[in-house]
Amino acid sequence: EGPKWLRQLRRVYKSNTFLIVFSVLCAVMLWSVLVATDGTLTREKVFADVEVTMAGMDTLKSNGYIVIDDDQSVLPTVRLTVEVTQNNYSRATASNFSPRVDVSKIRATGEQTVEITFSSSLYGKVVSCEPSSVTVNVERYVSSNRIPVVLDTEGTLADGLWMGSPSLDPAYIAVSGPRSVVNSIKRAVAK
């Protein structure tokens, strides 16, 4: 017969409880091995405080518009939720998804809302982005070729020194930028 603990162990081994517990443990171990080895399974990964860049400024200018907001004040940091494959989970970084605002398609002045887009990534796809858009202020981009340059002299010459008449070259300058700023410029002053 043997010791009492050995009889109890045989009884548990022969009961359904033992088989159920053993089956669940085997299933969990098998599932863990399959998940760890199947690189095509996807998982969500979250990146916080991701910087957004602005693209398309040169194209916007060539179309006659300009964003008048400072990039630092208008571009938020975003929270990205991405779906990446099991194989790439540890390698995926926020820079792989390159969030950006493309202003090249803007064709009007005033407040414009632009969606945040992402580069295609080998690591996976973006599931959500918070916030998902940016509002920028746009004005017409203009140039003025006839801004006069004025000379402002200060101080006096020391005794014994002589100075000829100052001259300006060029006498006019070209200024380009937002219409409201360019229209407010009356002259350029050289001290």
Side-chain angles (χ1 to χ4, degrees), residues 23-137:
S23 297
V24 168
L25 288 175
C26 286
V28 167
M29 286 183 1
L30 183 60
W31 177 80
S32 298
V33 169
L34 288 175
V35 166
T37 59
D38 187 357
T40 61
L41 292 176
T42 59
R43 292 173 57 189
E44 280 192 354
K45 191 169 187 176
V46 177
F47 300 104
D49 298 327
V50 181
E51 290 188 14
V52 178
T53 59
M54 190 176 291
M57 290 294 282
D58 291 336
T59 303
L60 185 65
K61 282 182 185 177
S62 68
N63 291 333
Y65 299 97
I66 187 169
V67 173
I68 59 173
D69 298 311
D70 176 36
D71 288 0
Q72 301 300 324
S73 65
V74 74
L75 293 177
T77 57
V78 295
R79 176 185 167 94
L80 288 180
T81 303
V82 297
E83 196 171 77
V84 296
T85 59
Q86 186 81 7
N87 285 344
N88 294 321
Y89 190 83
S90 61
R91 288 184 287 227
T93 63
S95 62
N96 298 128
F97 300 93
S98 179
R100 67 185 172 283
V101 174
D102 186 0
V103 295
S104 65
K105 295 176 180 66
I106 294 176
R107 299 288 185 268
T109 59
E111 280 193 356
Q112 304 294 321
T113 301
V114 184
E115 295 295 318
I116 296 174
T117 59
F118 315 93
S119 62
S120 60
S121 177
L122 299 173
Y123 294 101
K125 66 178 183 175
V126 176
V127 176
S128 71
C129 176
E130 298 167 14
S132 62
S133 63
V134 172
T135 301
V136 294
N137 290 299

Side-chain angles (χ1 to χ4, degrees), residues 60-68 109 138-147 173-185:
L60 185 65
K61 282 182 185 177
S62 68
N63 291 333
Y65 299 97
I66 187 169
V67 173
I68 59 173
T109 59
V138 178
E139 277 194 34
R140 293 295 285 172
Y141 181 75
V142 296
S143 294
S144 176
N145 294 328
R146 302 286 296 171
I147 303 293
I173 60 169
V175 177
S176 299
R179 177 178 282 165
S180 63
V181 174
V182 171
N183 288 346
S184 69
I185 299 173

